[in-house]
Amino acid sequence: EAGVAQSPRYKIIEKRQSVAFWCNPISGHATLYWYQQILGQGPKLLIQFQNNGVVDDSQLPKDRFSAERLKGVDSTLKIQPAKLEDSAVYLCASSLNSRGSPLHFGNGTRLTVT
Amino acid sequence: TQLLEQSPQFLSIQEGENLTVYCNSSSVFSSLQWYRQEPGEGPVLLVTVVTGGEVKKLKRLTFQFGDARKDSSLHITAAQPGDTGLYLCAGVETSGSRLTFGEGTQLTVNP
């Protein structure tokens, strides 16, 4: 089966600019996650979708971050405006359901904010 | 305060040595997963443990879930350079549904 696809792989922007990341999960996976991984740290959950509904966005900085999964398949994560501390790898993952199913991760988008 | 504490944070060993990585918490987990992440890639699931005291083996890797379901360990026998990577534990608390990751153990196996 095809894995989780993410684009772009790399992005360099200046602070205060905006950026968007795209994720295509594994076909049939109802749950989609966006994680932020700062260098040297474990992934931190930003938002979790079940189909096209938000299950958990308690750790999403909503003043600058937004995400959507309009048709319950692809998802986009946006940052506007970006700050230096947003430099990180943004990982998308999907799973069959939200009750303990293993997560399948994409290779991430490495964002550098200068 | 980190929900899941992993130790050691860094480990550099020679090929053929054995090692153990620990994942500890004060919380009880309904399940705990171990992932390995290589540079430029996303984490890949190694194993899921769900029962207190459970032991699972994956070739040279042995995973154990604590009796109280608060901690776990990963033991690698006769480590090889291909085992190099970031090992992450992740757990789902019994009181919630969010999968929370530890900070990881960066393992380097030198030939």
Side-chain angles (χ1 to χ4, degrees), chain A residues 36-93:
Chain A
Q36 179 193 58
Q37 187 174 26
I38 293 173
L39 186 65
Q41 299 182 16
K44 183 183 86 170
L45 180 68
L46 292 175
I47 189 167
Q48 177 180 339
F49 292 94
Q50 182 70 18
N51 297 309
N52 61 347
V54 176
V55 173
D56 185 350
D57 64 355
S58 57
Q59 299 187 109
L60 185 74
K62 298 180 186 64
D63 58 331
R64 299 184 300 106
F65 286 64
S66 64
E68 59 183 14
R69 193 185 185 198
L70 291 175
K71 296 183 178 179
V73 181
D74 293 7
S75 177
T76 56
L77 175 69
K78 297 179 182 179
I79 307 175
Q80 181 178 11
K83 292 185 176 181
L84 295 177
E85 58 261 37
D86 297 333
S87 294
V89 175
Y90 290 85
L91 294 164
C92 178

Side-chain angles (χ1 to χ4, degrees), chain A residues 13 19 21 31 44 57 62 90-91 105 108 110:
Chain A
I13 60 172
V19 64
F21 312 125
T31 312
K44 183 183 86 170
D57 64 355
K62 298 180 186 64
Y90 290 85
L91 294 164
F105 283 86
R110 179 176 295 278

Side-chain angles (χ1 to χ4, degrees), chain A residues 9 35 37 40-43 45 48 55-56 58-59 91 98-103 105-108 110, chain B residues 9 30-31 33 35 37 40-45 48 86 88 92 96-104:
Chain A
R9 284 285 277 138
Y35 281 86
Q37 187 174 26
Q41 299 182 16
L45 180 68
Q48 177 180 339
V55 173
D56 185 350
S58 57
Q59 299 187 109
L91 294 164
S98 60
R99 296 304 301 170
S101 295
L103 272 62
F105 283 86
N107 286 332
R110 179 176 295 278
Chain B
Q9 189 176 357
S30 57
S31 67
Q33 301 172 0
Y35 291 80
Q37 185 177 21
E41 299 182 8
V44 175
L45 180 70
T48 301
L86 179 67
L88 295 157
V92 178
S97 62
R98 179 190 305 160
L99 183 68
T100 301
F101 282 82
E103 295 295 325

Side-chain angles (χ1 to χ4, degrees), chain B residues 52-108:
Chain B
E54 182 176 3
V55 176
K56 281 192 173 179
K57 292 191 175 184
L58 186 65
K59 297 183 179 178
R60 294 175 293 100
L61 278 60
T62 301
F63 304 85
Q64 186 163 6
F65 201 12
D67 291 340
R69 290 186 288 130
K70 293 183 178 182
D71 53 83
S72 181
S73 63
L74 158 60
H75 182 79
I76 301 179
T77 303
Q80 299 177 0
D83 295 328
T84 293
L86 179 67
Y87 288 82
L88 295 157
C89 66
V92 178
E93 290 181 88
T94 53
S95 58
S97 62
R98 179 190 305 160
L99 183 68
T100 301
F101 282 82
E103 295 295 325
T105 293
Q106 180 62 54
L107 172 66
T108 302

